[in-house]
Amino acid sequence: MPPATPACVLGVALDITGQRKVLYPLKLDAERYNALTQVGGGLLWIGSSDGRITALPNTEQAPEAHPFFGKGWADLLHEEERDAALKSWAASVATGQPYHVEYRLRQLDGAYRWFRCMAIPVPHIPTAAFGSGWAFRSTCTTRNS
């Protein structure tokens, strides 16, 4: 038996002009942020104070970055720079000062390349994703050696 034809249609129209006006500045900020991730170059990452990389916003431009996710980035550090980089990270977490280091990271092919890494700690509300203390917004770019 074929379905019955509706006798009428009921709907609601809501005026959301006020909501759109409130959200517009947030939309602009998001577009600016996305533009900066494109212009800044390098690998943009967001991490927690315990050293986990929690987001890699521009990995579509750098698919080789996936080994950095989580805490795996510390394992990719060259042994000659590992202690200094991790001490610098701990000092940045403790003081809230920027993290700025240069180190060699192992690539997928096993070769090491130099990277300049800068991170700015950003206070945030503690969540399960970030832990407590700081979230880091950062970029890593290859250094000409």
Side-chain angles (χ1 to χ4, degrees):
M1 179 171 210
T5 304
C8 68
V9 175
L10 299 175
V12 176
L14 301 172
D15 183 354
I16 59 168
T17 304
Q19 291 172 336
R20 297 289 293 228
K21 285 180 182 177
V22 168
L23 293 177
Y24 185 71
L26 296 175
K27 181 181 177 194
L28 284 178
D29 284 346
E31 289 172 359
R32 288 181 187 128
Y33 176 79
N34 287 333
L36 285 172
T37 66
Q38 303 287 323
V39 173
L43 172 65
L44 180 69
W45 55 269
I46 299 170
S48 61
S49 58
D50 68 358
R52 285 179 299 119
I53 303 302
T54 57
L56 297 164
N58 66 344
T59 54
E60 69 279 352
Q61 298 160 358
E64 69 278 5
H66 292 286
F68 294 107
F69 201 75
K71 275 197 161 179
W73 68 274
D75 295 332
L76 300 175
L77 290 166
H78 192 282
E79 63 185 47
E80 292 177 12
E81 287 95 31
R82 184 175 294 134
D83 287 342
L86 295 176
K87 284 178 185 173
S88 181
W89 178 265
S92 185
V93 169
T95 64
Q97 295 299 307
Y99 175 71
H100 188 168
V101 295
E102 290 186 2
Y103 46 58
R104 290 171 284 179
L105 289 171
R106 188 177 61 247
Q107 304 302 295
L108 291 176
D109 64 3
Y112 283 90
R113 292 187 60 194
W114 280 99
F115 284 81
R116 177 174 293 124
C117 190
M118 297 170 283
I120 304 296
V122 179
H124 69 283
I125 298 170
T127 65
F130 289 111
S132 61
W134 301 97
F136 285 78
R137 296 343 186 235
S138 176
T139 187
C140 284
T141 54
T142 53
R143 184 189 88 175
N144 294 330
S145 30

